[in-house]
């Protein structure tokens, strides 16, 4: 079944109906155990969080994309990047794509406006990134982690304003 999936890509379209409040998030759970009720081990979470809200003006919201190791005892942020409002406007009513690539110990998270090109697999600051464009690369984070080698996927949000659509899971060897 799904719990045996090791290497895969998850892609989902996300839209928010109104503006987020500080601390609101949505995300993708991956390499999760079959039951979260008796959680004997953790899982990975890639999420986008409304990090800073200034004056309630959505143009001033700063989001943070994070790769998280959710352990039984708490969580550890493995990698994160700020999505600055002047470089990344996350607008209500527009479609955005959230993608996770899991290949052995390599974990990659990407987030972009669906009408744009998909960002490079290489995070910013990597000389091998192609194309070397901060506007494109600024929405990719990656980390190597061996904590969990397989498991199920899921969607998560702490608010009702986020909608998920068009989820696609593609397995690889």
């Amino acid at each position: 079944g799904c719990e045996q999936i090791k290497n895969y890509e998850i892609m989902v379209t996300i839209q928010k109906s109104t503006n987020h409040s500080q601390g609101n998030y949505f995300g993708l759970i991956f390499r999760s155990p079959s039951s979260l009720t008796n959680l004997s081990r953790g899982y990975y979470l890639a999420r986008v969080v409304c990090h800073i809200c200034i004056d309630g003006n959505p143009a001033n919201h700063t989001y943070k994309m994070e790769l998280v190791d959710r352990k039984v005892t708490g969580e550890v942020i493995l990698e994160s990047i700020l999505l600055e409002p002047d470089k990344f406007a996350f607008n209500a009513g527009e479609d955005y794509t959230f993608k996770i690539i899991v290949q052995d110990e390599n974990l990659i998270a990407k987030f972009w406006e669906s009408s744009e090109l998909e960002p490079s697999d290489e995070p910013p600051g990597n000389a091998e990134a192609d194309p070397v464009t901060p506007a494109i690369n600024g929405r990719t984070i990656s980390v190597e982690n061996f904590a969990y080698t397989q498991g199920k996927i899921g969607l998560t949000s702490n608010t009702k304003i986020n909608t998920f659509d068009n989820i696609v899971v593609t397995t690889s060897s």
Side-chain angles (χ1 to χ4, degrees), residues 28-154:
L28 291 165
I29 295 168
F30 55 105
R31 289 193 173 167
S32 172
S34 59
S35 172
L36 296 181
T37 54
N38 291 323
L39 192 60
S40 60
R41 70 171 180 92
Y43 57 90
Y44 294 118
L45 168 65
R47 67 182 171 204
V48 175
V49 181
C50 185
H51 181 62
I52 300 171
C53 298
I54 300 173
D55 301 329
N57 181 350
N60 294 330
H61 287 211
T62 300
Y63 287 84
K64 185 187 288 188
M65 183 170 55
E66 301 173 330
L67 277 169
V68 179
D69 180 351
R70 292 289 306 259
K71 299 176 180 288
V72 176
T73 57
E75 66 179 38
V76 175
I77 297 174
L78 302 171
E79 187 66 65
S80 69
I81 188 171
L82 287 177
L83 304 171
E84 298 290 342
D86 59 329
K87 298 175 188 157
F88 188 82
F90 183 27
N91 300 312
E94 292 185 19
D95 288 340
Y96 291 81
T97 303
F98 201 20
K99 183 175 184 178
I100 306 304
I101 301 168
V102 182
Q103 186 67 39
D104 299 321
E105 73 278 1
N106 299 308
L107 314 174
I108 299 171
K110 301 178 183 189
F111 185 58
W112 71 95
E113 188 171 356
S114 296
S115 63
E116 295 179 356
L117 294 174
E118 179 177 338
S120 166
D121 285 356
E122 300 292 335
N126 187 324
E128 296 177 21
D130 182 31
V132 182
T133 307
I136 300 293
N137 286 326
R139 297 177 211 124
T140 299
I141 56 176
S142 68
V143 68
E144 289 185 6
N145 194 286
F146 295 95
Y148 319 110
T149 58
Q150 63 191 33
K152 293 186 173 191
I153 65 164

